[in-house]
Amino acid sequence: MDNNDIRYEVDNYIGTITLARPGKLNTVTRAMGERLSELCQEINRDKGVRVVVLTGEGEKSFSAGSDIEVLDDYGSPWDLRNRDDYCMAIRSIRKPVIAMVNGYAIGGGLELALQADIRMASSNARFGAAEIKLGWIGGSGSTQLLPRMVGAGKAAEMVLTGRLLSAEEALRCGLVEQVVEPDELKKLVYETASAIAAYSPIAVENAKLALRAAMNMPLDAGLQYENSLFSFCFTTEDAQEGKAAFKEKRAPQFKGQ
């Protein structure tokens, strides 16, 4: 892997992962998948990162998924099944992840965006589960996450036809949260990331846990889990700081303790 195929930077508690193969539509190789798996675990351990932005270099493509030209590098179908899955690597990040989608998010690129907690897109973004056109289906979330986000019918249409959705259609069906012009996207994403990074990282990570539980648990179990996380937050120094700041009419200074 070229060391520049994945760029990672941290600034003001915001980690930015950039897929940097614009000439290849920011497709992902096996080596890049292995690096992402390592990087995401580093992010989980790093207290200096509270929010992650995931994007692709340039305006043409967020990511077109796996690089088909080197797909055989994974070996047998069994080896492919047991690969370092770059989408699951993003899913393993405990901090909030914002997908900044510019251009194509196709196949594994769509699944990368699906693993994020928030998706913000430029008006030139296009979304598609295109694997069906090549003789297979997505293996990292398209048939499982899409129905939960856009409904069973829209998910079936996307997966079974491979049709690309425009940014506006993706917004209407709930696949993305906001759509802006390309020159406004970065400002919107980093303003959102900065707002989240200013909050207690313990509260934020517990909020992410509770939100993910809502997609997996029955309602009564989810409510109990939420209440337990809520109670745990009150054992932290950050909660005490929040209460003190409210009483003193000042901005809280959260330390993640």
Side-chain angles (χ1 to χ4, degrees):
M1 180 185 73
D2 188 320
N3 290 334
N4 294 321
D5 286 348
I6 294 175
R7 292 201 307 274
Y8 178 61
E9 304 166 298
V10 179
D11 185 42
N12 291 324
Y13 294 110
I14 302 170
T16 300
I17 301 172
T18 304
L19 304 178
R21 298 181 79 213
K24 293 287 188 177
L25 298 179
N26 295 320
T27 50
V28 181
T29 64
R30 179 176 183 174
M32 290 170 67
E34 292 170 352
R35 173 56 185 144
L36 277 172
S37 293
E38 296 169 356
L39 176 58
C40 291
Q41 293 311 306
E42 292 172 15
I43 289 170
N44 281 337
R45 293 189 293 266
D46 189 352
K47 293 183 179 180
V49 178
R50 296 183 179 181
V51 185
V52 176
V53 173
L54 174 66
T55 193
E57 184 175 305
E59 293 186 2
K60 189 173 183 180
S61 181
F62 171 74
S63 175
S66 297
D67 186 341
I68 296 174
E69 293 182 0
V70 297
L71 205 55
D72 290 341
D73 288 354
Y74 288 99
S76 70
W78 185 254
D79 293 329
L80 181 62
R81 178 188 185 274
N82 294 305
R83 70 195 182 281
D84 284 309
D85 189 323
Y86 53 87
C87 294
M88 292 302 104
I90 297 301
R91 187 169 184 80
S92 74
I93 297 175
R94 294 194 292 266
K95 293 108 188 260
V97 178
I98 303 174
M100 183 164 65
V101 182
N102 32 11
Y104 293 113
I106 303 174
L110 171 65
E111 292 176 314
L112 272 172
L114 291 175
Q115 305 302 339
D117 302 289
I118 300 171
R119 284 156 295 283
M120 295 179 169
S122 65
S123 57
N124 72 336
R126 298 292 182 270
F127 300 85
E131 293 94 336
I132 200 75
K133 297 180 179 181
L134 299 173
W136 59 84
I137 65 171
S140 300
S142 60
T143 67
Q144 301 304 304
L145 292 172
L146 274 175
R148 289 169 165 82
M149 293 183 187
V150 304
K154 177 59 73 174
E157 178 193 5
M158 291 181 67
V159 171
L160 295 175
T161 70
R163 182 175 73 84
L164 295 184
L165 272 60
S166 68
E168 289 300 329
E169 188 174 359
L171 179 64
R172 288 196 300 271
C173 72
L175 182 55
V176 300
E177 282 61 67
Q178 293 196 56
V179 173
V180 294
E181 292 304 308
D183 60 354
E184 300 173 0
L185 181 61
K186 186 174 182 179
K187 180 175 184 289
L188 171 66
V189 167
Y190 282 94
E191 283 180 349
T192 304
S194 294
I196 296 171
Y199 302 141
S200 163
I202 299 174
V204 167
E205 288 191 33
N206 276 284
K208 175 167 178 167
L209 283 173
L211 288 165
R212 185 165 289 180
M215 298 178 68
N216 293 281
M217 287 185 180
L219 178 58
D220 285 345
L223 288 169
Q224 292 176 21
Y225 183 56
E226 177 191 68
N227 189 256
S228 294
L229 295 175
F230 157 79
S231 300
F232 170 75
C233 286
F234 278 96
T235 69
T236 67
E237 292 181 16
D238 279 353
Q240 303 309 311
E241 165 64 9
K243 289 189 290 184
F246 180 82
K247 292 176 182 178
E248 297 165 13
K249 296 182 172 54
R250 60 174 175 82
Q253 300 296 315
F254 296 118
K255 298 179 180 179
Q257 298 177 349

